[in-house]
Amino acid sequence: MRDPDSEDLSGLIGAGSAVFETGPEAAGARLDLWLTQKLGADFSRSRVQALVRQGAVAVAGAPATDPGRKLKAGETVEVILPAPTPAEPEGEDIPLDILYEDSELIVVNKPPGLVVHPGAGNWTGTLVNALIHHCGDSLSGIGGVKRPGIVHRLDKDTSGVMVVAKTDRAHRALSEAFADHGRSGELERAYVALVWGAPERSSGVIDVPLGRAADRVRRAAVPKDRADARHAVTRYAVLERFGAKPDNRATAALLECRLETGRTHQIRVHMAHIGHPVIGDPDYGQAFRTKANRLPEPLRSMAKDFPRQALHAQLLAFSHPVTGEMMRFEALMPHDMTELVDAFRHSDLHKS
């Protein structure tokens, strides 16, 4: 008999079985809730419910396919733990910049241009394909499938630090941390953004709800009473101003942006909303592209031809999902963004 109260069940994940005896406290309890507590952090309630419906659970020697079945004291509950099925996306040998890795998670510095997850138009060549190839059998299975657990995303053309779960328990804990948006103090995210112009204040808070734009792919700042409005807060600090005039107006600025929420395109939409869109942003900065015409060469060509939003996830700190240790990772801006920032820094913008 195996009891997770006294024995580590990690060796059963992916194969084997577990057998439990119900005590007096189990009388009247739902099978799925009781079993989720017994199996521990490696098994979510939805995964346990799936196992029950698949016929992988027996109570008192008979198959139990109803997750809501009421238990009695003194019953035997047996669970068959199937091996994780292969991931649907295939692994691909794509280079990864790995900042950290252990049996529970992996932290990478995502380059610009790399899509995170397979989808329409990008079924191969993604970060998930790369992780499946790299991690191999060290993926114990997310929801019963050998795949990496994506708990947050970066846009295709945004670079920087990402953490990815390798086990169910890491996926659950990290997902909860990101859903909490760091209010518990166990998550910190900071980006650097090169924007047109510069906010008048050296720091500030943008508290503006986001919703879907007309094309349903982009996002937009919307009134808080709109049905699809989602709370969104970004804190920013001006790190450097470029080409500041005597009236304190700047041609561009390098900002640090910290997220209190994690909405799609949040920083990009918020920066555009306050009149300082991210340079190179093809979705929210098009109206500012003519600003590059006022720049001196070679900066003018560099800014006009910059192929992506100049946005980089520089810092990610979180509590390790198993050990509880606070972990902190930083990644320098990639070469293309560093080169553009340096060009602004060293150009004589007062002559433009």
Side-chain angles (χ1 to χ4, degrees), residues 7 38 129 148 191 228 247 274 289 317:
E7 185 176 348
K38 281 293 181 181
N129 296 108
Y191 294 67
D228 67 334
D247 61 3
I274 65 171
R289 286 185 66 85

Side-chain angles (χ1 to χ4, degrees), residues 20-27 34 38 59 71-77:
F20 308 98
E21 295 288 343
T22 60
E25 78 290 344
W34 184 85
K38 281 293 181 181
V59 178
L71 294 173
K72 300 176 182 178
E75 290 183 309
T76 299
V77 179

Side-chain angles (χ1 to χ4, degrees), residues 41-172:
D42 286 305
F43 292 84
S44 65
R45 184 180 175 188
S46 61
R47 174 126 189 245
V48 169
Q49 289 175 338
L51 289 172
V52 172
R53 293 190 179 103
Q54 291 164 9
V57 178
V59 178
T65 57
D66 178 11
R69 183 192 191 283
K70 302 299 184 180
L71 294 173
K72 300 176 182 178
E75 290 183 309
T76 299
V77 179
E78 183 175 5
V79 188
I80 305 299
L81 303 172
T85 60
E88 290 183 5
E90 294 186 359
E92 296 179 58
D93 189 4
I94 299 170
L96 289 171
D97 182 2
I98 299 172
L99 304 180
Y100 175 83
E101 182 176 9
D102 62 23
S103 61
E104 300 289 336
L105 56 86
I106 183 169
V107 181
V108 300
N109 179 21
K110 188 188 88 66
L114 183 64
V115 175
V116 170
H117 201 281
N122 295 286
W123 293 111
T124 62
T126 72
L127 177 63
V128 166
N129 296 108
L131 289 169
I132 290 172
H133 177 273
H134 170 80
C135 296
D137 289 338
S138 68
L139 294 173
S140 71
I142 306 297
V145 179
K146 284 187 176 180
R147 60 183 173 88
I150 303 299
V151 296
H152 68 125
R153 285 178 170 81
L154 296 178
D155 296 334
K156 173 185 176 182
D157 289 324
T158 298
S159 55
V161 186
M162 282 189 64
V163 59
V164 180
K166 295 170 66 175
T167 67
D168 250 334
R169 63 180 172 183
H171 187 245
R172 290 177 63 193

Side-chain angles (χ1 to χ4, degrees), residues 17-322:
S17 64
V19 181
F20 308 98
E21 295 288 343
T22 60
E25 78 290 344
R30 282 178 59 104
L31 172 61
D32 57 348
L33 287 173
W34 184 85
L35 197 51
T36 299
Q37 293 174 348
K38 281 293 181 181
L39 290 173
D42 286 305
F43 292 84
S44 65
R45 184 180 175 188
S46 61
R47 174 126 189 245
V48 169
Q49 289 175 338
L51 289 172
V52 172
R53 293 190 179 103
Q54 291 164 9
V57 178
V59 178
T65 57
D66 178 11
R69 183 192 191 283
K70 302 299 184 180
L71 294 173
K72 300 176 182 178
E75 290 183 309
T76 299
V77 179
E78 183 175 5
V79 188
I80 305 299
L81 303 172
T85 60
E88 290 183 5
E90 294 186 359
E92 296 179 58
D93 189 4
I94 299 170
L96 289 171
D97 182 2
I98 299 172
L99 304 180
Y100 175 83
E101 182 176 9
D102 62 23
S103 61
E104 300 289 336
L105 56 86
I106 183 169
V107 181
V108 300
N109 179 21
K110 188 188 88 66
L114 183 64
V115 175
V116 170
H117 201 281
N122 295 286
W123 293 111
T124 62
T126 72
L127 177 63
V128 166
N129 296 108
L131 289 169
I132 290 172
H133 177 273
H134 170 80
C135 296
D137 289 338
S138 68
L139 294 173
S140 71
I142 306 297
V145 179
K146 284 187 176 180
R147 60 183 173 88
I150 303 299
V151 296
H152 68 125
R153 285 178 170 81
L154 296 178
D155 296 334
K156 173 185 176 182
D157 289 324
T158 298
S159 55
V161 186
M162 282 189 64
V163 59
V164 180
K166 295 170 66 175
T167 67
D168 250 334
R169 63 180 172 183
H171 187 245
R172 290 177 63 193
L174 290 171
S175 293
E176 289 172 2
F178 277 87
D180 181 64
H181 304 305
R183 285 186 287 268
S184 64
E186 296 185 346
L187 181 69
E188 183 181 0
R189 289 176 289 177
Y191 294 67
V192 284
L194 182 63
V195 303
W196 288 115
E200 292 184 5
R201 298 173 57 189
S202 60
S203 62
V205 179
I206 307 169
D207 186 348
V208 178
L210 301 184
R212 288 191 180 276
D215 62 10
R216 300 189 63 80
V217 175
R218 296 191 303 161
R219 297 298 188 269
V222 300
K224 64 180 180 181
D225 58 352
R226 207 171 90 169
D228 67 334
R230 296 294 181 267
H231 181 55
V233 179
T234 303
R235 295 184 177 273
Y236 70 83
V238 179
L239 301 177
E240 197 169 351
R241 300 173 189 266
F242 305 116
K245 305 295 194 300
D247 61 3
N248 203 37
R249 287 185 301 172
T251 302
L254 186 66
L255 308 183
E256 179 186 81
C257 299
R258 289 179 176 261
L259 298 178
E260 287 193 13
T261 56
R263 306 304 178 192
T264 300
H265 299 177
Q266 179 174 316
I267 292 174
R268 298 164 61 190
V269 178
H270 273 173
M271 289 299 107
H273 178 71
I274 65 171
H276 302 291
V278 178
I279 291 176
D281 193 325
D283 298 313
Y284 308 104
Q286 285 290 348
F288 285 73
R289 286 185 66 85
T290 56
K291 279 185 169 288
N293 294 330
R294 307 174 194 173
L295 302 175
E297 290 289 4
L299 178 58
R300 178 189 307 164
S301 296
M302 292 177 65
K304 290 180 69 173
D305 297 339
F306 200 70
R308 67 181 185 94
Q309 61 266 10
L311 181 63
H312 174 70
Q314 180 173 259
L315 167 69
L316 178 62
F318 57 89
S319 175
H320 192 283
V322 176

